[in-house]
Amino acid sequence: MAVTNAENPLLGETTCGSLLQKLQEIWDEVGESDEERDKMLLQIEQECLDVYKRKVEKAAKSRAQLLQVLSDAKLELSTLVSALGDKSLVDIPDKASGTIKEQLAAIAPALEQLWKQKEERVKEFSDVQSQIQKICGEIAGNASELGAPAVDESDLSLKKLDEYQVKLQELQKEKSDRLHKVLEFVSTVHDLCAVLGMDFFSTVTEVHPSLDDTTGVQSKSISNDTLSRLAKTVSALNEDKKQRLHKLQELATQLIDLWNLMDTPEEERRLFDHVTCNISASVDEVTVPGSLALDLIEQAEIEVERLDQLKASRMKEIAFKKQVELEEIFARVHIEIDPEAAREKIMALIDSGNVEPTELLADMDNQIAKAKEEAHSRKEILDRVEKWMSTCEEESWLEDYNRDENRYNSSRGAHLNLKRAEKARILVNKIPGMVDTLVAKTRAWEEARGITFTYDGVPLLAMLDEYAVLRQEREEEKRRFKDQKKFSEQQNTEPEASFGSRPSPARASGTKKVVGPRANGGSNGTPSRRLSLNASQNGSRSGTKDGRRDSTKLASPANYVSISKEEAASHVSGTDPVPASP
């Protein structure tokens, strides 16, 4: 190897040339041969090549490491940008330029900024997912068993974050709805417990311990299980309320019936106003605290039992009271019964002890109900009978009015009687139609029920037939009076022409000719025994054997009357009689 370097005296440095020259001087002094010298120089050269080689390998390795770092940095940059989903977040170099270290220096700021944004985004995702997980746990009922949520760092885009936030809002709304529903259930349970007289705290904490008043609203359980158990509790309490109300209403009805049976004074009844006040209330209307408590129901049961025992001791009095009610119903609708036999039967049943008091009263209540139904079915016909009787009474009054010679005098009330007479004539003309309608209605009633319609024990159709016959006889009697009058007038006219006028025999004698027998005791053609007007009006009976009032007072529309010829003729013609000349 040639010596190319020499010692630089100005710099005072040791170079390869100076060292080689120094080595030549040493060799010269030693007397090394040229072969040894060449061998040592080759050795020195080889050692120098080894050193250079090692340096080059180290440099190459360093370059490779830098290239790997650069590649990893670029991959990390790409991954972060993809995960964050927005390339505009940082200024990313478009292409590689400059040395490796320059490229790394250019990428480093972008990476640092993306890492910071990633940390912030991961925190946002973790917060949202934690809230979602918490609400889901509260709904499922296992919120305390959940750990921290795992964030998927491969997708940290704003779009994904918005999806989580939308889901969180939906869950928050569902939580709010559930909480509102829980509070409604709790409020309902509170109201029901108050009405039923139950302990609200123990009832609601059996569903979930967080539902008592001491727990904050946001801390109350909203799980599916809690809502289900609350719904079942409310349903059970409502059913209990319904059953208690039904029981209380039954007791209240029994109390009122027993009070009415035994004429309990009002002061004693007021003690149970809190029981009877809800007798017709619906389940939703009962809201007063304690109004359906068990002790209140037990109190009512004890009172009903006490009154039942008292009722048993007063059975005869109560039974006779019901019998009187039954008799009054039959009397109002003119149905004849044997009250003495009925009372004897009641006495025999009670004294024998073969029938329970409640059964006897129930049977009598059933008889009263049937009697009321029977009375209702007879009402229309009885109303028409009353109208017919009233019209016949007006007919009787009209006959009396027509016989009154002073009816046109200017006495007090004469004009009122005249008006009444006009109305009476109109009503009398309607009697045949009334009778026909009454017959048709009665026959239809009998055909529908298969029994005979009786009026105070007498078949109504027979009464109507008898009335029709008697009315026809009376009409024939009127026609006979009319013919007799004409004949009398003709005979009176002939002697008057020969001897002059003379007083009318009828007026001279001052007597009235009897039209027909008064054996029936009526005034215009129908037996008053069967058509008692007063009995039909007030349902009462007289002290006579057949239970009717005096026939002359109970004006049935059928009696024969004694009238003069002139009066009979004027009645037939519907005009007032003309006074006979003196």
Side-chain angles (χ1 to χ4, degrees):
M1 176 183 289
V3 179
T4 57
N5 294 326
E7 185 177 355
N8 189 354
L10 296 175
L11 298 175
E13 295 178 352
T14 301
T15 64
C16 288
S18 65
L19 290 174
L20 185 57
Q21 184 179 359
K22 186 70 176 176
L23 185 60
Q24 287 288 349
E25 291 178 355
I26 295 172
W27 282 345
D28 288 340
E29 289 181 2
V30 173
E32 290 286 344
S33 62
D34 293 335
E35 183 179 355
E36 286 292 333
R37 291 184 180 186
D38 290 337
K39 185 179 179 181
M40 293 183 70
L41 289 175
L42 286 174
Q43 186 178 358
I44 292 172
E45 184 177 359
Q46 185 63 39
E47 290 177 358
C48 288
L49 288 174
D50 291 339
V51 171
Y52 277 114
K53 187 177 180 180
R54 286 196 301 271
K55 292 294 184 183
V56 169
E57 289 176 355
K58 185 178 180 180
K61 186 178 181 180
S62 177
R63 182 187 65 181
Q65 290 177 348
L66 288 175
L67 288 173
Q68 184 63 41
V69 172
L70 180 60
S71 176
D72 292 343
K74 289 181 178 180
L75 180 61
E76 180 73 11
L77 183 65
S78 176
T79 302
L80 289 173
V81 170
S82 176
L84 296 173
D86 191 358
K87 293 183 179 181
S88 62
L89 293 175
V90 294
D91 185 14
I92 302 174
D94 294 336
K95 61 181 179 177
S97 60
T99 63
I100 296 175
K101 291 185 177 182
E102 288 175 351
Q103 293 181 38
L104 284 172
I107 291 175
L111 278 175
E112 185 178 356
Q113 186 175 356
L114 288 175
W115 282 333
K116 184 177 180 180
Q117 291 177 355
K118 178 184 176 181
E119 291 177 358
E120 295 175 353
R121 192 69 57 83
V122 168
K123 187 176 181 301
E124 292 178 0
F125 270 83
S126 180
D127 291 341
V128 173
Q129 287 181 254
S130 296
Q131 295 181 59
I132 292 174
Q133 183 175 336
K134 181 181 178 183
I135 296 176
C136 291
E138 290 176 353
I139 293 173
N142 57 354
S144 60
E145 301 174 2
L146 300 175
V151 178
D152 182 12
E153 297 185 3
S154 64
D155 187 1
L156 299 174
S157 62
L158 292 175
K159 180 180 179 182
K160 188 69 174 178
L161 182 61
D162 290 341
E163 291 178 0
Y164 278 118
Q165 288 176 342
V166 169
K167 184 177 180 180
L168 176 61
Q169 291 175 358
E170 292 175 354
L171 288 172
Q172 287 174 339
K173 184 179 183 302
E174 182 178 356
K175 178 181 178 180
S176 176
D177 294 341
R178 283 171 170 263
L179 186 60
H180 181 67
K181 199 168 185 179
V182 166
L183 294 177
E184 283 186 348
F185 275 135
V186 171
S187 177
T188 303
V189 171
H190 182 274
D191 294 341
L192 289 172
C193 287
V195 173
L196 298 174
M198 299 173 60
D199 184 13
F200 164 71
F201 180 80
S202 61
T203 302
V204 79
T205 50
E206 284 181 4
V207 177
H208 197 276
S210 66
L211 299 180
D212 64 334
D213 294 336
T214 60
T215 306
V217 175
Q218 296 300 324
S219 300
K220 295 188 183 297
S221 174
I222 59 170
S223 65
N224 293 329
D225 181 64
T226 299
L227 286 172
S228 176
R229 295 181 66 182
L230 277 173
K232 290 179 181 178
T233 301
V234 170
S235 178
L237 290 174
N238 275 324
E239 183 63 24
D240 194 11
K241 178 182 179 182
K242 181 179 179 181
Q243 292 177 359
R244 291 193 190 185
L245 178 60
H246 180 67
K247 177 67 174 177
L248 194 69
Q249 288 175 339
E250 286 182 345
L251 292 171
T253 302
Q254 293 175 25
L255 282 174
I256 292 175
D257 291 342
L258 291 169
W259 288 339
N260 293 336
L261 279 175
M262 295 180 286
D263 295 329
T264 304
E266 192 64 30
E267 294 77 11
E268 187 175 341
R269 299 189 184 196
R270 288 198 192 100
L271 298 176
F272 289 89
D273 282 346
H274 56 289
V275 175
T276 58
C277 64
N278 293 320
I279 191 170
S280 60
S282 64
V283 176
D284 295 333
E285 291 174 345
V286 181
T287 57
V288 178
S291 55
L292 297 178
L294 286 176
D295 55 348
L296 185 144
I297 296 176
E298 291 174 359
Q299 180 186 5
E301 289 176 340
I302 294 172
E303 180 64 13
V304 168
E305 184 177 357
R306 185 186 71 83
L307 291 176
D308 275 334
Q309 295 174 355
L310 182 61
K311 179 185 71 174
S313 63
R314 298 177 58 187
M315 178 52 58
K316 291 183 180 179
E317 177 184 349
I318 298 171
F320 286 151
K321 184 177 180 180
K322 287 186 176 290
Q323 179 62 26
V324 169
E325 181 181 356
L326 186 63
E327 292 173 4
E328 289 176 352
I329 294 173
F330 283 136
R332 285 196 295 269
V333 294
H334 300 276
I335 297 177
E336 276 197 343
I337 60 172
D338 189 352
E340 294 300 327
R343 292 172 184 268
E344 290 175 1
K345 181 179 179 181
I346 292 173
M347 287 287 293
L349 288 173
I350 295 175
D351 293 338
S352 67
N354 295 330
V355 62
E356 289 291 333
T358 54
E359 294 179 2
L360 176 60
L361 294 181
D363 180 65
M364 297 193 71
D365 288 335
N366 188 33
Q367 293 182 39
I368 291 172
K370 289 181 179 179
K372 289 180 179 178
E373 183 180 352
E374 179 77 7
H376 180 73
S377 69
R378 294 167 60 93
K379 184 177 184 304
E380 182 181 3
I381 294 176
L382 291 176
D383 289 344
R384 292 181 181 274
V385 170
E386 294 297 327
K387 187 175 180 181
W388 170 51
M389 289 182 175
S390 176
T391 304
C392 290
E393 185 177 334
E394 286 297 298
E395 182 183 24
S396 176
W397 177 87
L398 182 62
E399 290 179 356
D400 294 339
Y401 175 77
N402 288 333
R403 290 195 299 269
D404 185 7
E405 296 179 357
N406 298 322
R407 60 184 176 276
Y408 290 127
N409 293 345
S410 58
S411 60
R412 183 177 182 181
H415 65 290
L416 297 177
N417 288 333
L418 183 60
K419 289 183 179 180
R420 179 179 176 182
E422 293 174 357
K423 292 181 180 179
R425 291 188 185 99
I426 296 173
L427 289 175
V428 168
N429 291 332
K430 295 180 180 180
I431 289 179
M434 289 183 183
V435 173
D436 293 340
T437 303
L438 193 54
V439 169
K441 293 283 185 182
T442 305
R443 285 176 178 169
W445 188 93
E446 292 181 348
E447 290 175 0
R449 289 163 180 77
I451 58 176
T452 301
F453 190 102
T454 60
Y455 188 95
D456 289 335
V458 180
L460 182 59
L461 289 178
M463 294 170 59
L464 294 172
D465 291 341
E466 183 178 356
Y467 170 77
V469 171
L470 294 176
R471 186 176 179 85
Q472 185 177 1
E473 291 177 355
R474 190 182 60 160
E475 294 297 331
E476 292 176 357
E477 189 71 20
K478 287 181 180 180
R479 284 194 294 271
R480 286 197 299 270
F481 274 123
K482 186 175 181 181
D483 294 341
Q484 185 179 1
K485 179 183 177 183
K486 289 181 180 179
F487 178 76
S488 298
E489 287 177 350
Q490 290 176 359
Q491 290 205 351
N492 290 334
T493 302
E494 293 176 359
E496 286 176 1
S498 303
F499 306 104
S501 78
R502 61 183 180 182
S504 171
R507 293 185 58 83
S509 61
T511 61
K512 295 183 179 180
K513 184 175 180 62
V514 177
V515 176
R518 300 181 59 88
N520 292 314
S523 60
N524 51 2
T526 299
S528 62
R529 185 185 65 80
R530 299 178 182 180
L531 300 175
S532 173
L533 179 61
N534 289 340
S536 66
Q537 288 175 344
N538 55 31
S540 62
R541 298 178 180 271
S542 68
T544 60
K545 181 177 182 181
D546 60 357
R548 297 173 184 82
R549 296 183 181 274
D550 181 56
S551 60
T552 59
K553 296 295 183 180
L554 309 178
S556 309
N559 271 343
Y560 296 111
V561 296
S562 57
I563 57 176
S564 65
K565 296 179 181 179
E566 293 84 1
E567 289 169 337
S570 66
H571 180 70
V572 171
S573 62
T575 59
D576 296 327
V578 179
S581 58

